[in-house]
Amino acid sequence: MKKAILILLTILSVIIAAGCSKDDNDPSEAPVKERILGKWKFISVVTENTVLSEPTETTTEYGVEGDYFDFRSDGNIYYVLGGDTEEIAPYSIENETTLKIENDAFTIKELTQHKLAFQFVKVNANYTRKQAYNLSK
C-alpha cells in the first residue's frame, strides 16, 4: 500500500512539474526579428551633439500625429516623419541588440510589446553625435 501511494505521489509530482513549465507563447521570448515587426508610433528622438571643448548640445524632436515606423517582414521599414510622404528603407536585425537601417547600425536599448528604443552613435575626430529614438505601439 505504501509503495502504491509513493508511486501515485511521484506521478502527481511529475504532472504538477510539467504543468509549471515555461509558457512557449510568451511574446517577450520571441526573437527580436519577430518582436520588432509592426507599426510603431514615433514618439521622439533625443540628439546629443558634443563638439571638442564645448558643452554638449541636446535637442528633442517630438513626433506629430501620423508619424510612424512600420517594420515589415520584407526587410523594409516604411515610415513617415513630419509629413505625408511614406518613405522606405531596408533594415536587418544583426543580433539581439543591433538593428541595421541602410548602412547605419543602431543599438536596441529596449524592446517590449509596447516600447521600442534604439540609439545611433557617430564618433569622429571633431564631434560625437548620439540619437536616441523612442517608439510605442
Side-chain angles (χ1 to χ4, degrees), residues 33 37-38 71-76 91:
K33 287 182 179 187
L37 293 175
F71 292 86
R72 298 190 188 168
S73 59
D74 67 358
N76 289 307
Y91 83 94

Side-chain angles (χ1 to χ4, degrees), residues 39-46 61-69 80-82 118 132-137:
K39 197 170 191 176
W40 296 84
K41 180 180 178 185
F42 172 67
I43 303 299
S44 67
V45 60
V46 178
E61 297 175 49
Y62 295 96
V64 297
E65 188 66 35
D67 286 354
Y68 65 85
F69 284 77
V80 172
L81 295 174
F118 54 91
Y133 291 81
N134 299 291
L135 312 176
S136 71
K137 276 195 178 179

Side-chain angles (χ1 to χ4, degrees), residues 73-102:
S73 59
D74 67 358
N76 289 307
I77 303 173
Y78 297 76
Y79 63 95
V80 172
L81 295 174
D84 295 327
T85 306
E86 183 176 69
E87 298 187 42
I88 302 170
Y91 83 94
S92 62
I93 303 297
E94 301 296 305
N95 57 49
E96 291 296 303
T97 60
T98 304
L99 164 66
K100 194 169 184 181
I101 301 174
E102 292 184 342

Side-chain angles (χ1 to χ4, degrees), residues 4-113:
I5 291 174
L6 184 60
I7 292 172
L8 182 60
L9 288 174
T10 303
I11 292 171
L12 187 58
S13 296
V14 170
I15 291 171
I16 290 171
C20 294
S21 67
K22 196 174 180 181
D23 184 6
D24 293 335
N25 295 327
D26 184 0
S28 66
E29 298 299 320
V32 170
K33 287 182 179 187
E34 293 175 16
R35 289 186 288 147
I36 202 166
L37 293 175
K39 197 170 191 176
W40 296 84
K41 180 180 178 185
F42 172 67
I43 303 299
S44 67
V45 60
V46 178
T47 303
E48 294 179 8
N49 288 312
T50 305
V51 179
L52 292 177
S53 305
E54 293 183 24
T56 299
E57 179 184 307
T58 302
T59 58
T60 303
E61 297 175 49
Y62 295 96
V64 297
E65 188 66 35
D67 286 354
Y68 65 85
F69 284 77
D70 189 357
F71 292 86
R72 298 190 188 168
S73 59
D74 67 358
N76 289 307
I77 303 173
Y78 297 76
Y79 63 95
V80 172
L81 295 174
D84 295 327
T85 306
E86 183 176 69
E87 298 187 42
I88 302 170
Y91 83 94
S92 62
I93 303 297
E94 301 296 305
N95 57 49
E96 291 296 303
T97 60
T98 304
L99 164 66
K100 194 169 184 181
I101 301 174
E102 292 184 342
N103 293 318
D104 296 322
F106 295 78
T107 301
I108 298 171
K109 296 294 188 178
E110 184 175 0
L111 177 55
T112 66
Q113 286 183 307

